[in-house]
Amino acid sequence: MNKIWILAKKDLRLLIRDKTGAFFTFGFPIMYALFFGMIFKNMGGGGPTTMEIIVVDQDQTQASQAFVHKLNESDSTRIVEKNLEEAVELVQKGKKPAYVLIREGYGEAAQNIFGGNPPAFEIGVDPSKRVQSMILEGVLMQHAADNFSRAFSDKDTMSKQIARSRERVTQSEDLNATERVIFSTFFAALDSFMQNAPSGNTTDGEMGGGFGSMTPAVITTKEITQQKTDTGNTFNITFPQSLVWGLMGCAATFGISLVVERVRGTLVRLRMSPISYAQILAGKGLACFICLIAVNGIMLVFGMLVFDLSPNNYPLLVLAILCSSVCFVGIMMLLSVLGKTEASAGGIGWAVLIVMAMLGGGMIPYMFLPDWIKTIASVSPVKWTVIAMEGAIFRGFTLGDMMLPCGVLLGIGVVCFALGARVFRWMES
Amino acid sequence: MAMLELTNLCKSFGDLRAVDDLSLTIETGEVFGLLGPNGAGKTTTIHMATGLLVPDSGTVVLNMQGSPADPEVRANIGVAPQALSLYEELTGQENLDFFGSLQGLSGKGLAQRVEASLEFVSLADRRKDLVKSYSGGMKRRLNIAVALIHEPRIVLLDEPTVGVDPQSRNAIFDNILELKAHGVTVVYTTHYMEEAEKLCDRVAIMDNGKILALDSLPGLINAHGGQSVVILEGPDGEKRIETDHPLDEIVKRKDQSDIASFRVERPDLERVFLNLTGRQLRD
């Protein structure tokens, strides 16, 4: 271990002496991490291919079933029906972006065109996926409005509605005699109009413009986290992705350090020393690890001081940072042994990191990715890094919840490092 | 006692046979020259001798302890590679500190060895300067100092005078002779004949991955150098007489009035190489 530390100390000293290198290791990753954080924070536009939504239908009426069916037929949404408990858990864990709760009474409320409460939905949304939440609200409102306009264009439905409304006017104690006369006259005229109107339904939305003041549905949105009722501030949500970019940028600069040793001839001297290939690689890995921790630490302090970042659970965030760093060290050590020149090592490093970021939702939010990419995203450590960071920062993960992402990250790191050591030994001998 | 034994070493890179069935034994305390043109296989031989390269076949035994692939055995070796192997962003002292630490030195022992190594190569007054500010000759000397930091029993110097000024070259020669005086075994690869002639007790001449001849300098010259040449210059131009007894030839012609001047060319390693390979060393 002592020799690994000696090697790491030398690399850190070299890094500090090289001011340009130090900037690109520490300063630049922080800069573009913040840049990407800001971009994701304000990101909008661009529709998803299909959103996977959980529907909790507590009403179980013909109307609610029809509404669910309509949602499922939509190109924008794909529906999975669950009970409320399961739905909340899936959103909490980040496995689904949102759920729609259709409460009991929906069927009756859907009939209330001229009075009473409109149908209400509750959306439970993953706070890191607000864009999806907004899209979902739009989809729900659209379907509710369709129902609303369909009711107006159906003569039988309208007749029943008018009859119910006339009855309510008659029975209402809130109306005075004059108002009662006015409403009775209005509904009688409307009934007469509907009786004389041509039969058959109009097309969707044909009548929608005339009832703009009426509300087709009431939608309430609720952020789903375990321990906190909100996420603190929006920077909490984008910060995990910022950390990922910080990790990738810092790791990339270390990806070429072994090639630099080779090209400058010092690798021969290292190999002549009484140390193993794995120790040489571990020394580089340790220096890289220290830098990754430093970069994430600086970003964390910066985020707390400047952006009022308030992670949910500091020990778990430290755990997430440690595991992510181990993972990226392992990956970069494997990649570093593959390059023959500084250019090729740098190219390989960035190419792999960018692909991992693309697959894992580091560049384009996960929701916008095609299904086939989502399927293979699990091989990307970026995905697991984001999950672990989000879990600690705002999802309120427990230690048990952290086991999967952290275990995957550690596993990737250790396997890549071992593979790197073998390849290094094979290539050098 | 043998310090380094190479037996039937072979190493190929693709179709290129870099080292071909090479065997030699280097005795403790000698300065051994490995002489040959660029591409002769000297560096490949050095790399196999130090455990950096695994031979395709054959064995390497160092200090009668075993293969240098074993880190403990390798600790007996100090290497100054042909390519400078230094961290330019560190000072001379930091380079020595670092490589000394990797060799297991620490504390006062490390400080003493750093001091002694800097003094040995006359760089003590530049210890705090970054290596990138050193001249080519100073870097070469530091390269040797790093090889010596852990007091190895055998030092392999691969073309240590390439690209250095005459002053630094002389300083390096002095260092090597001082190492020899302290009983350190030195393996010296070069393609400069005069360096081998000046420093080496024995010389192996290598070409195309093979040892063509191995002996002391006089032995090589006697065996492969051919005769001395007496060159007489007169009105009709130069006259060359090959002989084993140049002095007798000159005395025999002392009364000839048509000789304006004369000189004697003794056989040297250059001639040995020419006779062995049919070409000049620097071809």
Side-chain angles (χ1 to χ4, degrees):
Chain A
M1 188 61 200
N2 184 41
K3 289 191 175 165
I4 293 171
W5 171 238
I6 290 165
L7 286 160
K9 208 166 58 174
K10 179 265 300 174
D11 273 344
L12 293 172
R13 182 176 279 164
L14 285 171
L15 184 66
I16 292 163
R17 292 271 164 84
D18 178 8
K19 290 183 176 53
T20 311
F23 170 74
F24 278 99
T25 306
F26 292 105
F28 195 63
I30 292 169
M31 276 174 55
Y32 66 60
L34 295 173
F35 173 74
F36 274 99
M38 291 298 177
I39 286 178
F40 288 132
K41 181 178 174 179
N42 299 311
M43 190 154 185
T49 48
T50 308
M51 241 189 299
E52 264 204 325
I53 300 299
I54 307 170
V55 170
V56 182
D57 183 2
Q58 291 182 336
D59 189 50
Q60 293 292 330
T61 59
Q62 197 178 347
S64 69
Q65 292 289 320
F67 187 78
V68 172
H69 181 69
K70 190 77 181 167
L71 270 182
N72 208 17
E73 280 187 335
S74 165
D75 290 338
S76 319
T77 49
R78 191 164 63 229
I79 299 303
V80 182
E81 286 201 62
K82 299 278 180 192
N83 65 38
L84 183 57
E85 199 179 318
E86 289 171 328
V88 169
E89 192 183 340
L90 287 168
V91 177
Q92 274 172 352
K93 299 274 168 67
K95 291 179 179 171
K96 293 284 182 286
Y99 68 78
V100 178
L101 172 61
I102 305 172
R103 291 194 184 281
E104 259 183 74
Y106 169 86
E108 194 173 332
Q111 308 295 316
N112 294 338
I113 295 175
F114 298 113
N117 294 322
F121 302 102
E122 179 186 299
I123 299 176
V125 65
D126 179 339
S128 68
K129 289 160 185 166
R130 286 201 170 124
V131 178
Q132 280 138 307
S133 161
M134 286 186 277
I135 292 168
L136 184 58
E137 278 183 39
V139 169
L140 290 176
M141 199 55 94
Q142 182 196 333
H143 288 302
D146 286 349
N147 284 347
F148 201 61
S149 68
R150 201 172 295 110
F152 269 100
S153 59
D154 184 329
K155 195 186 280 184
D156 291 342
T157 307
M158 277 303 288
S159 293
K160 285 178 191 165
Q161 280 294 313
I162 292 167
R164 281 179 64 189
S165 300
R166 291 174 76 175
E167 194 182 324
R168 279 184 188 166
V169 168
T170 310
Q171 291 171 356
S172 174
E173 293 175 0
D174 298 336
L175 299 174
N176 58 37
T178 311
E179 289 170 332
R180 195 166 286 139
V181 170
I182 291 169
F183 279 113
S184 296
T185 308
F186 167 72
F187 284 121
L190 187 60
D191 193 28
S192 168
F193 168 76
M194 293 302 298
Q195 296 303 325
N196 294 318
S199 60
N201 292 337
T202 58
T203 52
D204 285 355
E206 201 170 295
M207 296 176 72
F211 298 92
S213 60
M214 297 184 186
T215 308
V218 174
I219 297 171
T220 52
T221 302
K222 188 175 165 187
E223 288 187 354
I224 300 301
T225 56
Q226 269 181 333
Q227 293 170 0
K228 297 176 90 175
T229 53
D230 60 58
T231 56
N233 71 55
T234 51
F235 197 73
N236 282 359
I237 295 162
T238 60
F239 192 65
Q241 265 150 331
S242 303
L243 288 177
V244 168
W245 279 99
L247 286 170
M248 292 200 302
C250 183
T253 55
F254 270 89
I256 61 166
S257 70
L258 198 64
V259 176
V260 170
E261 298 266 14
R262 185 180 289 137
V263 170
R264 296 183 187 171
T266 44
L267 186 58
V268 168
R269 185 89 78 185
L270 294 181
R271 289 182 50 209
M272 277 306 305
S273 306
I275 52 176
S276 65
Y277 291 95
Q279 280 177 308
I280 294 174
L281 212 56
K284 298 241 161 265
L286 180 59
C288 181
F289 181 77
I290 290 168
C291 284
L292 292 176
I293 298 294
V295 165
N296 272 344
I298 293 167
M299 289 175 67
L300 196 57
V301 171
F302 191 78
M304 288 162 69
L305 294 178
V306 178
F307 292 101
D308 197 25
L309 178 78
S310 52
N312 202 334
N313 189 320
Y314 284 95
L316 290 187
L317 181 57
V318 170
L319 178 68
I321 289 174
L322 289 175
C323 294
S324 310
S325 299
V326 167
C327 178
F328 278 90
V329 164
I331 290 167
M332 291 320 294
M333 289 305 105
L334 172 59
L335 297 178
S336 71
V337 302
L338 300 179
K340 295 275 185 194
T341 64
E342 291 178 47
S344 65
I348 291 169
W350 269 116
V352 172
L353 287 174
I354 284 174
V355 169
M356 288 193 315
M358 284 165 63
L359 290 179
M363 294 180 85
I364 303 164
Y366 188 72
M367 60 173 274
F368 292 112
L369 297 173
D371 286 348
W372 66 273
I373 292 186
K374 284 181 186 169
T375 307
I376 59 172
S378 294
V379 302
S380 169
V382 170
K383 174 187 167 180
W384 298 105
T385 301
V386 170
I387 289 174
M389 301 279 190
E390 286 184 352
I393 292 173
F394 64 84
R395 285 195 192 284
F397 273 20
T398 62
L399 186 60
D401 295 330
M402 293 291 279
M403 285 297 110
L404 176 64
C406 288
V408 171
L409 290 169
L410 286 176
I412 292 173
V414 170
V415 168
C416 284
F417 182 85
L419 206 55
R422 282 189 77 88
V423 174
F424 182 36
R425 186 186 175 87
W426 175 74
M427 286 179 75
E428 289 297 319
S429 59
Chain B
M1 191 178 81
M3 175 56 70
L4 181 64
E5 281 183 278
L6 311 179
T7 310
N8 304 121
L9 286 188
C10 290
K11 184 71 187 177
S12 296
F13 300 103
D15 294 334
L16 175 71
R17 188 88 158 164
V19 173
D20 190 3
D21 199 26
L22 181 145
S23 296
L24 60 88
T25 301
I26 296 169
E27 300 297 332
T28 301
E30 73 172 328
V31 178
F32 186 91
L34 202 51
L35 199 70
N38 291 326
K42 303 188 299 290
T43 299
T44 305
T45 303
I46 290 279
H47 282 189
M48 286 191 286
T50 54
L52 286 176
L53 273 179
V54 179
D56 295 338
S57 60
T59 58
V60 179
V61 177
L62 182 72
N63 198 26
M64 299 180 40
Q65 289 180 326
S67 165
D70 177 351
E72 279 189 28
V73 176
R74 201 158 66 225
N76 289 296
I77 312 176
V79 177
Q82 186 176 349
L84 289 167
S85 306
L86 303 165
Y87 295 103
E88 300 231 328
E89 297 292 336
L90 299 183
T91 65
Q93 182 168 340
E94 285 169 343
N95 269 281
L96 288 166
D97 272 336
F98 170 66
F99 287 112
S101 301
L102 285 186
Q103 293 289 349
L105 298 171
S106 62
K108 201 178 274 186
L110 174 63
Q112 284 172 351
R113 283 304 305 152
V114 169
E115 185 66 31
S117 299
L118 285 167
E119 292 285 349
F120 184 72
V121 295
S122 306
L123 286 174
D125 57 334
R126 297 292 303 272
R127 72 180 68 205
K128 300 282 187 195
D129 295 337
L130 295 180
V131 171
K132 66 183 178 186
S133 71
Y134 286 12
S135 68
M138 290 164 74
K139 287 177 185 173
R140 282 277 162 207
R141 276 144 58 198
L142 184 64
N143 204 35
I144 293 173
V146 172
L148 301 173
I149 185 71
H150 59 298
E151 296 186 278
R153 303 198 60 190
I154 179 168
V155 183
L156 290 89
L157 306 175
D158 194 1
E159 306 266 7
T161 58
V162 170
V164 304
D165 57 277
Q167 192 184 349
S168 286
R169 179 179 288 124
N170 287 333
I172 290 169
F173 290 167
D174 290 344
N175 291 154
I176 292 165
L177 293 173
E178 198 174 334
L179 287 172
K180 183 187 176 187
H182 284 89
V184 177
T185 307
V186 178
V187 179
Y188 190 95
T189 76
T190 182
H191 60 273
Y192 297 125
M193 295 289 180
E194 58 275 27
E195 292 184 3
E197 286 175 344
K198 188 168 184 174
L199 298 169
C200 300
D201 300 314
R202 286 194 306 150
V203 173
I205 294 183
M206 249 190 116
D207 196 23
N208 296 321
K210 288 176 183 283
I211 299 279
L212 302 180
L214 194 168
D215 206 338
S216 64
L217 193 62
L220 281 175
I221 290 171
N222 285 338
H224 306 286
Q227 295 175 306
S228 295
V229 179
V230 176
I231 300 165
L232 305 172
E233 289 183 8
D236 301 329
E238 273 188 6
K239 187 179 177 187
R240 298 172 67 87
I241 302 162
E242 289 193 3
T243 174
D244 289 330
H245 307 286
L247 192 57
D248 292 348
E249 285 294 331
I250 292 164
V251 170
K252 207 159 59 182
R253 288 169 171 80
K254 69 179 193 307
D255 296 328
Q256 287 181 7
S257 59
D258 59 341
I259 297 174
S261 66
F262 68 87
R263 67 178 191 278
V264 178
E265 277 186 4
R266 290 199 167 276
D268 57 9
L269 278 175
E270 191 77 45
R271 186 94 68 81
V272 170
F273 189 81
L274 182 68
N275 291 338
L276 284 168
T277 65
R279 58 195 175 97
Q280 297 285 333
L281 186 60
R282 291 180 182 83
D283 282 351

